[in-house]
Amino acid sequence: MAGIDPPLPEDRMLVEQLRLQLGNVGSSVIPTLLVAPTLVFVLANPSNGFALGAWCAAIIIFKLFLAWDARRLLETTITPVAARSVLGRKMVLNLIDGALWGALAWAALGSTTVAGSVLVVATLAGVAGSSMSSLAPIFPLFVVFGLSEAAMLSSKLWTMDDPAYRTLAVAVLLYIAALIGQARNGARAARRAIALGLENVGLVERLRVESEHAQQAHRTAEEANLAKSRFLAAASHDLRQPIHAQGLFLEVLARTPLTIEQKAALANARATWQASAEMLDTLLDFSRLEAGVVKPVFQAFALQPLLNRIENELAPLADAKGIVYRSRETRAVVKGDPALVALILRNLVSNAIRYTDDGGVLVACRTRGGSVSLEVWDTGVGIEAAHHQTIFREFHQLGNVERDRRKGLGLGLAIAQGLARALGQELRLSSVAGRGSVFRFRLPLARAGMPMAPAVPDKPAAQRSFDGMRVLVIDDDETVRTAMQQLLRAWGCRCDVADSIEEVLIFGTGHRPDLAIVDYRLRGHSTGADAVATLRREFGGDMPALLVTGDTAPERLREAMATGVPLLHKPVLPGELHRAMSDLLAGRMPDASASTLDVRAPAV
């Protein structure tokens, strides 16, 4: 029947029965040492003194032997194969033990008083009763002991040629029969207890094995996740270097005289580069979440300017597909990190536009109690209930088995979920396949008196001229150095390049740089942070510096963020680089150094 465990193997049960019975043997030694001499003292007389003395010596020696033998067996491992032979040996020993106790009747009865005879019978009855409890784990052992003792006692009583004694002989046999019946019940109870104990041991062992398997699976999953992160970081770094240089070269090329056809080709090249950069930025956002460097800065901010900005950015994508993009007006002021909230909404809206071919996308805010529910509705393909959890996994996409790069990497929803959790919220989904989806997350309403986030300017601030400014670039990639040098010179800078801090110290630049742009991961074990520290010791501690990195490994991100030097991530948009340089030279901290995920700026 289902749910019932199969019976335990008989040999295994016998092993446990033997160990339980052997553990009871020692408890009968002291009573024997006390009772046997006492009986000799009370019953002995000139006619039976020798017989009682011999009996006393025999029973004590044999009981000590039984105790020694039991301890010896308990100290060894009784295998299921050997259990049967041990049982046979124990049955012989208990047969002898019973006969020795019964021999007391032959040594004392008929040669002592009536009171002494009563004492002998009572003693043997008590020995039989106590033996029942100690031998009960193995029913056959008590049977041979009880029958052996009863046979010795009853045979002596029967030979005493007195009807009363013969009646007592029959009574002894009936008493032993009753004890055997009780012993059978005791043996069954002992077997059930042993079986339960063995089943519990089995359950504990299975639990231990399953726990070990679960721990091993967890370790394997963690190792796989670390291997995945290392692979992504290595692949991302190696891809970022040439794409970073490509973007810089394209910017330099855009500043040269070009024909109409060349401008069209350049626009296509820049669009392709932009798509590659955006995918790498998505990987960077995911790596930042894994590294734990995303630290929300909670402040009060109005939702409507943020919704307007996202609509201005993404509505053209909806228009290009012939679908409607709408966002409802709201006056809500919420508590959160505006940069993270913007990135969550941008991912959700981009995802909605990507998977909607008819109808449209709606961004709405609903005030409920002390919070606001931000919702992104679409009339797209919808998501089946079975996939409502899996779509939040990284690199998981529905309906993109061909891995169309235009549909992204499958990280948008994973990033949005991670950012929502960083804000202490949960991203929720309601969807019907074929009818559309709605993603929503909540933000608390701002309390009166909370500091407000600065308003986002509609147009980027004017950027300063770099004419005549001296810039030092340290990067171990020759292509990147060349691209940076050409771009900075196109901006009017005087640019010196080096592949290491050692090259700068050996050959020198001849002048103190106005700004240093240093790659974070240099040759050997040197880092950009080390190089910046050396430059500031050489040229002054107030020298402005920027770190640039293509490394997205979580531990590298944490190290770089801990330096306090502004950090840009390859591929760096020329406009982003220009703005960061302008901010540094004006004494401001560039936006790119903030701990939140920054929003990419348009190219200059």
PDB file of all heavy atoms in Angstrom, residues 169-198:
ATOM      1  N   ALA A 169       3.957 -28.515  41.317  1.00  0.00           N
ATOM      2  CA  ALA A 169       4.731 -28.727  40.087  1.00  0.00           C
ATOM      3  C   ALA A 169       3.906 -28.317  38.862  1.00  0.00           C
ATOM      4  O   ALA A 169       4.409 -27.666  37.926  1.00  0.00           O
ATOM      5  CB  ALA A 169       5.170 -30.189  39.984  1.00  0.00           C
ATOM      6  N   VAL A 170       2.610 -28.715  38.877  1.00  0.00           N
ATOM      7  CA  VAL A 170       1.741 -28.321  37.775  1.00  0.00           C
ATOM      8  C   VAL A 170       1.550 -26.800  37.752  1.00  0.00           C
ATOM      9  O   VAL A 170       1.552 -26.158  36.695  1.00  0.00           O
ATOM     10  CB  VAL A 170       0.374 -29.036  37.887  1.00  0.00           C
ATOM     11  CG1 VAL A 170      -0.585 -28.516  36.829  1.00  0.00           C
ATOM     12  CG2 VAL A 170       0.563 -30.548  37.769  1.00  0.00           C
ATOM     13  N   ALA A 171       1.404 -26.210  38.936  1.00  0.00           N
ATOM     14  CA  ALA A 171       1.228 -24.763  39.028  1.00  0.00           C
ATOM     15  C   ALA A 171       2.447 -24.018  38.472  1.00  0.00           C
ATOM     16  O   ALA A 171       2.332 -22.966  37.826  1.00  0.00           O
ATOM     17  CB  ALA A 171       0.967 -24.351  40.474  1.00  0.00           C
ATOM     18  N   VAL A 172       3.633 -24.590  38.735  1.00  0.00           N
ATOM     19  CA  VAL A 172       4.858 -23.969  38.208  1.00  0.00           C
ATOM     20  C   VAL A 172       4.834 -23.952  36.684  1.00  0.00           C
ATOM     21  O   VAL A 172       5.178 -22.960  36.033  1.00  0.00           O
ATOM     22  CB  VAL A 172       6.099 -24.707  38.736  1.00  0.00           C
ATOM     23  CG1 VAL A 172       7.349 -24.304  37.950  1.00  0.00           C
ATOM     24  CG2 VAL A 172       6.298 -24.427  40.215  1.00  0.00           C
ATOM     25  N   LEU A 173       4.399 -25.082  36.094  1.00  0.00           N
ATOM     26  CA  LEU A 173       4.339 -25.142  34.631  1.00  0.00           C
ATOM     27  C   LEU A 173       3.331 -24.143  34.074  1.00  0.00           C
ATOM     28  O   LEU A 173       3.559 -23.495  33.055  1.00  0.00           O
ATOM     29  CB  LEU A 173       3.987 -26.561  34.197  1.00  0.00           C
ATOM     30  CG  LEU A 173       5.070 -27.621  34.489  1.00  0.00           C
ATOM     31  CD1 LEU A 173       4.563 -29.015  34.101  1.00  0.00           C
ATOM     32  CD2 LEU A 173       6.362 -27.300  33.768  1.00  0.00           C
ATOM     33  N   LEU A 174       2.164 -24.025  34.763  1.00  0.00           N
ATOM     34  CA  LEU A 174       1.171 -23.038  34.323  1.00  0.00           C
ATOM     35  C   LEU A 174       1.702 -21.619  34.466  1.00  0.00           C
ATOM     36  O   LEU A 174       1.440 -20.745  33.620  1.00  0.00           O
ATOM     37  CB  LEU A 174      -0.122 -23.214  35.133  1.00  0.00           C
ATOM     38  CG  LEU A 174      -0.891 -24.525  34.895  1.00  0.00           C
ATOM     39  CD1 LEU A 174      -2.088 -24.617  35.852  1.00  0.00           C
ATOM     40  CD2 LEU A 174      -1.350 -24.610  33.441  1.00  0.00           C
ATOM     41  N   TYR A 175       2.438 -21.364  35.541  1.00  0.00           N
ATOM     42  CA  TYR A 175       3.023 -20.029  35.764  1.00  0.00           C
ATOM     43  C   TYR A 175       4.008 -19.683  34.655  1.00  0.00           C
ATOM     44  O   TYR A 175       3.985 -18.580  34.104  1.00  0.00           O
ATOM     45  CB  TYR A 175       3.713 -20.013  37.124  1.00  0.00           C
ATOM     46  CG  TYR A 175       4.506 -18.761  37.405  1.00  0.00           C
ATOM     47  CD1 TYR A 175       3.871 -17.543  37.634  1.00  0.00           C
ATOM     48  CD2 TYR A 175       5.904 -18.791  37.446  1.00  0.00           C
ATOM     49  CE1 TYR A 175       4.609 -16.394  37.900  1.00  0.00           C
ATOM     50  CE2 TYR A 175       6.641 -17.645  37.711  1.00  0.00           C
ATOM     51  CZ  TYR A 175       5.981 -16.444  37.935  1.00  0.00           C
ATOM     52  OH  TYR A 175       6.717 -15.310  38.184  1.00  0.00           O
ATOM     53  N   ILE A 176       4.845 -20.663  34.290  1.00  0.00           N
ATOM     54  CA  ILE A 176       5.818 -20.424  33.217  1.00  0.00           C
ATOM     55  C   ILE A 176       5.101 -20.195  31.899  1.00  0.00           C
ATOM     56  O   ILE A 176       5.483 -19.337  31.091  1.00  0.00           O
ATOM     57  CB  ILE A 176       6.802 -21.586  33.121  1.00  0.00           C
ATOM     58  CG1 ILE A 176       7.732 -21.605  34.349  1.00  0.00           C
ATOM     59  CG2 ILE A 176       7.640 -21.489  31.840  1.00  0.00           C
ATOM     60  CD1 ILE A 176       8.594 -20.364  34.488  1.00  0.00           C
ATOM     61  N   ALA A 177       4.005 -20.964  31.683  1.00  0.00           N
ATOM     62  CA  ALA A 177       3.243 -20.777  30.456  1.00  0.00           C
ATOM     63  C   ALA A 177       2.670 -19.359  30.389  1.00  0.00           C
ATOM     64  O   ALA A 177       2.665 -18.708  29.329  1.00  0.00           O
ATOM     65  CB  ALA A 177       2.123 -21.814  30.360  1.00  0.00           C
ATOM     66  N   ALA A 178       2.167 -18.861  31.529  1.00  0.00           N
ATOM     67  CA  ALA A 178       1.637 -17.494  31.561  1.00  0.00           C
ATOM     68  C   ALA A 178       2.740 -16.475  31.289  1.00  0.00           C
ATOM     69  O   ALA A 178       2.547 -15.490  30.560  1.00  0.00           O
ATOM     70  CB  ALA A 178       0.981 -17.226  32.908  1.00  0.00           C
ATOM     71  N   LEU A 179       3.917 -16.730  31.876  1.00  0.00           N
ATOM     72  CA  LEU A 179       5.029 -15.807  31.631  1.00  0.00           C
ATOM     73  C   LEU A 179       5.447 -15.824  30.172  1.00  0.00           C
ATOM     74  O   LEU A 179       5.812 -14.771  29.593  1.00  0.00           O
ATOM     75  CB  LEU A 179       6.223 -16.176  32.521  1.00  0.00           C
ATOM     76  CG  LEU A 179       6.093 -15.875  34.017  1.00  0.00           C
ATOM     77  CD1 LEU A 179       7.381 -16.259  34.728  1.00  0.00           C
ATOM     78  CD2 LEU A 179       5.804 -14.391  34.247  1.00  0.00           C
ATOM     79  N   ILE A 180       5.408 -17.016  29.558  1.00  0.00           N
ATOM     80  CA  ILE A 180       5.769 -17.102  28.147  1.00  0.00           C
ATOM     81  C   ILE A 180       4.792 -16.283  27.306  1.00  0.00           C
ATOM     82  O   ILE A 180       5.183 -15.588  26.339  1.00  0.00           O
ATOM     83  CB  ILE A 180       5.801 -18.576  27.693  1.00  0.00           C
ATOM     84  CG1 ILE A 180       7.020 -19.282  28.303  1.00  0.00           C
ATOM     85  CG2 ILE A 180       5.844 -18.672  26.170  1.00  0.00           C
ATOM     86  CD1 ILE A 180       7.073 -20.769  28.034  1.00  0.00           C
ATOM     87  N   GLY A 181       3.496 -16.318  27.653  1.00  0.00           N
ATOM     88  CA  GLY A 181       2.516 -15.509  26.934  1.00  0.00           C
ATOM     89  C   GLY A 181       2.806 -14.021  27.077  1.00  0.00           C
ATOM     90  O   GLY A 181       2.727 -13.258  26.109  1.00  0.00           O
ATOM     91  N   GLN A 182       3.142 -13.611  28.321  1.00  0.00           N
ATOM     92  CA  GLN A 182       3.482 -12.200  28.524  1.00  0.00           C
ATOM     93  C   GLN A 182       4.784 -11.830  27.803  1.00  0.00           C
ATOM     94  O   GLN A 182       4.926 -10.723  27.275  1.00  0.00           O
ATOM     95  CB  GLN A 182       3.600 -11.910  30.020  1.00  0.00           C
ATOM     96  CG  GLN A 182       2.288 -12.048  30.778  1.00  0.00           C
ATOM     97  CD  GLN A 182       2.458 -11.744  32.255  1.00  0.00           C
ATOM     98  OE1 GLN A 182       3.351 -11.019  32.655  1.00  0.00           O
ATOM     99  NE2 GLN A 182       1.586 -12.328  33.070  1.00  0.00           N
ATOM    100  N   ALA A 183       5.727 -12.790  27.795  1.00  0.00           N
ATOM    101  CA  ALA A 183       6.998 -12.531  27.110  1.00  0.00           C
ATOM    102  C   ALA A 183       6.784 -12.334  25.615  1.00  0.00           C
ATOM    103  O   ALA A 183       7.458 -11.519  24.975  1.00  0.00           O
ATOM    104  CB  ALA A 183       7.970 -13.679  27.356  1.00  0.00           C
ATOM    105  N   ARG A 184       5.823 -13.097  25.044  1.00  0.00           N
ATOM    106  CA  ARG A 184       5.531 -12.920  23.626  1.00  0.00           C
ATOM    107  C   ARG A 184       5.041 -11.495  23.355  1.00  0.00           C
ATOM    108  O   ARG A 184       5.473 -10.848  22.391  1.00  0.00           O
ATOM    109  CB  ARG A 184       4.481 -13.941  23.176  1.00  0.00           C
ATOM    110  CG  ARG A 184       4.077 -13.780  21.706  1.00  0.00           C
ATOM    111  CD  ARG A 184       3.005 -14.785  21.329  1.00  0.00           C
ATOM    112  NE  ARG A 184       3.539 -16.127  21.318  1.00  0.00           N
ATOM    113  CZ  ARG A 184       4.193 -16.672  20.271  1.00  0.00           C
ATOM    114  NH1 ARG A 184       4.383 -15.942  19.182  1.00  0.00           N
ATOM    115  NH2 ARG A 184       4.633 -17.894  20.328  1.00  0.00           N
ATOM    116  N   ASN A 185       4.144 -10.990  24.196  1.00  0.00           N
ATOM    117  CA  ASN A 185       3.662  -9.613  24.036  1.00  0.00           C
ATOM    118  C   ASN A 185       4.794  -8.609  24.199  1.00  0.00           C
ATOM    119  O   ASN A 185       4.898  -7.629  23.458  1.00  0.00           O
ATOM    120  CB  ASN A 185       2.547  -9.330  25.048  1.00  0.00           C
ATOM    121  CG  ASN A 185       1.307 -10.157  24.780  1.00  0.00           C
ATOM    122  OD1 ASN A 185       1.044 -10.556  23.654  1.00  0.00           O
ATOM    123  ND2 ASN A 185       0.543 -10.433  25.842  1.00  0.00           N
ATOM    124  N   GLY A 186       5.666  -8.866  25.203  1.00  0.00           N
ATOM    125  CA  GLY A 186       6.809  -7.980  25.407  1.00  0.00           C
ATOM    126  C   GLY A 186       7.761  -7.986  24.222  1.00  0.00           C
ATOM    127  O   GLY A 186       8.313  -6.946  23.829  1.00  0.00           O
ATOM    128  N   ALA A 187       7.950  -9.194  23.627  1.00  0.00           N
ATOM    129  CA  ALA A 187       8.839  -9.294  22.474  1.00  0.00           C
ATOM    130  C   ALA A 187       8.284  -8.520  21.292  1.00  0.00           C
ATOM    131  O   ALA A 187       9.017  -7.858  20.550  1.00  0.00           O
ATOM    132  CB  ALA A 187       9.038 -10.763  22.099  1.00  0.00           C
ATOM    133  N   ARG A 188       6.946  -8.600  21.113  1.00  0.00           N
ATOM    134  CA  ARG A 188       6.326  -7.841  20.022  1.00  0.00           C
ATOM    135  C   ARG A 188       6.491  -6.339  20.232  1.00  0.00           C
ATOM    136  O   ARG A 188       6.789  -5.588  19.287  1.00  0.00           O
ATOM    137  CB  ARG A 188       4.853  -8.200  19.928  1.00  0.00           C
ATOM    138  CG  ARG A 188       4.601  -9.614  19.408  1.00  0.00           C
ATOM    139  CD  ARG A 188       3.125  -9.950  19.493  1.00  0.00           C
ATOM    140  NE  ARG A 188       2.865 -11.286  18.954  1.00  0.00           N
ATOM    141  CZ  ARG A 188       1.699 -11.914  19.068  1.00  0.00           C
ATOM    142  NH1 ARG A 188       0.685 -11.337  19.724  1.00  0.00           N
ATOM    143  NH2 ARG A 188       1.534 -13.119  18.550  1.00  0.00           N
ATOM    144  N   ALA A 189       6.297  -5.899  21.487  1.00  0.00           N
ATOM    145  CA  ALA A 189       6.471  -4.472  21.775  1.00  0.00           C
ATOM    146  C   ALA A 189       7.909  -4.047  21.534  1.00  0.00           C
ATOM    147  O   ALA A 189       8.173  -2.963  20.999  1.00  0.00           O
ATOM    148  CB  ALA A 189       6.053  -4.175  23.211  1.00  0.00           C
ATOM    149  N   ALA A 190       8.853  -4.921  21.922  1.00  0.00           N
ATOM    150  CA  ALA A 190      10.265  -4.595  21.713  1.00  0.00           C
ATOM    151  C   ALA A 190      10.589  -4.506  20.226  1.00  0.00           C
ATOM    152  O   ALA A 190      11.320  -3.612  19.785  1.00  0.00           O
ATOM    153  CB  ALA A 190      11.154  -5.642  22.386  1.00  0.00           C
ATOM    154  N   ARG A 191      10.015  -5.432  19.431  1.00  0.00           N
ATOM    155  CA  ARG A 191      10.255  -5.397  17.988  1.00  0.00           C
ATOM    156  C   ARG A 191       9.699  -4.123  17.372  1.00  0.00           C
ATOM    157  O   ARG A 191      10.327  -3.509  16.495  1.00  0.00           O
ATOM    158  CB  ARG A 191       9.637  -6.623  17.321  1.00  0.00           C
ATOM    159  CG  ARG A 191      10.416  -7.919  17.547  1.00  0.00           C
ATOM    160  CD  ARG A 191       9.674  -9.102  16.942  1.00  0.00           C
ATOM    161  NE  ARG A 191       9.558  -8.970  15.499  1.00  0.00           N
ATOM    162  CZ  ARG A 191      10.465  -9.409  14.620  1.00  0.00           C
ATOM    163  NH1 ARG A 191      11.568  -9.998  15.052  1.00  0.00           N
ATOM    164  NH2 ARG A 191      10.274  -9.260  13.331  1.00  0.00           N
ATOM    165  N   ARG A 192       8.498  -3.736  17.829  1.00  0.00           N
ATOM    166  CA  ARG A 192       7.924  -2.498  17.296  1.00  0.00           C
ATOM    167  C   ARG A 192       8.784  -1.289  17.654  1.00  0.00           C
ATOM    168  O   ARG A 192       8.987  -0.388  16.835  1.00  0.00           O
ATOM    169  CB  ARG A 192       6.501  -2.310  17.822  1.00  0.00           C
ATOM    170  CG  ARG A 192       5.473  -3.227  17.162  1.00  0.00           C
ATOM    171  CD  ARG A 192       4.059  -2.750  17.456  1.00  0.00           C
ATOM    172  NE  ARG A 192       3.747  -2.815  18.886  1.00  0.00           N
ATOM    173  CZ  ARG A 192       3.204  -3.861  19.487  1.00  0.00           C
ATOM    174  NH1 ARG A 192       2.908  -4.955  18.781  1.00  0.00           N
ATOM    175  NH2 ARG A 192       2.925  -3.833  20.778  1.00  0.00           N
ATOM    176  N   ALA A 193       9.280  -1.265  18.905  1.00  0.00           N
ATOM    177  CA  ALA A 193      10.128  -0.142  19.323  1.00  0.00           C
ATOM    178  C   ALA A 193      11.425  -0.111  18.522  1.00  0.00           C
ATOM    179  O   ALA A 193      11.884   0.955  18.095  1.00  0.00           O
ATOM    180  CB  ALA A 193      10.429  -0.249  20.817  1.00  0.00           C
ATOM    181  N   ILE A 194      12.008  -1.312  18.302  1.00  0.00           N
ATOM    182  CA  ILE A 194      13.251  -1.380  17.525  1.00  0.00           C
ATOM    183  C   ILE A 194      12.996  -0.938  16.094  1.00  0.00           C
ATOM    184  O   ILE A 194      13.772  -0.182  15.492  1.00  0.00           O
ATOM    185  CB  ILE A 194      13.831  -2.799  17.577  1.00  0.00           C
ATOM    186  CG1 ILE A 194      14.333  -3.119  18.993  1.00  0.00           C
ATOM    187  CG2 ILE A 194      14.974  -2.947  16.573  1.00  0.00           C
ATOM    188  CD1 ILE A 194      14.726  -4.565  19.184  1.00  0.00           C
ATOM    189  N   ALA A 195      11.869  -1.435  15.517  1.00  0.00           N
ATOM    190  CA  ALA A 195      11.544  -1.062  14.140  1.00  0.00           C
ATOM    191  C   ALA A 195      11.354   0.440  14.011  1.00  0.00           C
ATOM    192  O   ALA A 195      11.825   1.070  13.055  1.00  0.00           O
ATOM    193  CB  ALA A 195      10.282  -1.802  13.691  1.00  0.00           C
ATOM    194  N   LEU A 196      10.645   1.034  14.999  1.00  0.00           N
ATOM    195  CA  LEU A 196      10.440   2.484  14.969  1.00  0.00           C
ATOM    196  C   LEU A 196      11.765   3.223  15.076  1.00  0.00           C
ATOM    197  O   LEU A 196      12.008   4.204  14.369  1.00  0.00           O
ATOM    198  CB  LEU A 196       9.507   2.890  16.103  1.00  0.00           C
ATOM    199  CG  LEU A 196       9.176   4.394  16.190  1.00  0.00           C
ATOM    200  CD1 LEU A 196       8.495   4.858  14.913  1.00  0.00           C
ATOM    201  CD2 LEU A 196       8.299   4.685  17.406  1.00  0.00           C
ATOM    202  N   GLY A 197      12.634   2.734  15.984  1.00  0.00           N
ATOM    203  CA  GLY A 197      13.936   3.372  16.121  1.00  0.00           C
ATOM    204  C   GLY A 197      14.760   3.276  14.859  1.00  0.00           C
ATOM    205  O   GLY A 197      15.391   4.256  14.428  1.00  0.00           O
ATOM    206  N   LEU A 198      14.731   2.090  14.210  1.00  0.00           N
ATOM    207  CA  LEU A 198      15.482   1.930  12.971  1.00  0.00           C
ATOM    208  C   LEU A 198      14.906   2.788  11.858  1.00  0.00           C
ATOM    209  O   LEU A 198      15.644   3.336  11.032  1.00  0.00           O
ATOM    210  CB  LEU A 198      15.487   0.458  12.560  1.00  0.00           C
ATOM    211  CG  LEU A 198      16.320  -0.478  13.442  1.00  0.00           C
ATOM    212  CD1 LEU A 198      16.153  -1.913  12.989  1.00  0.00           C
ATOM    213  CD2 LEU A 198      17.794  -0.085  13.434  1.00  0.00           C
TER     214      LEU A 198
END
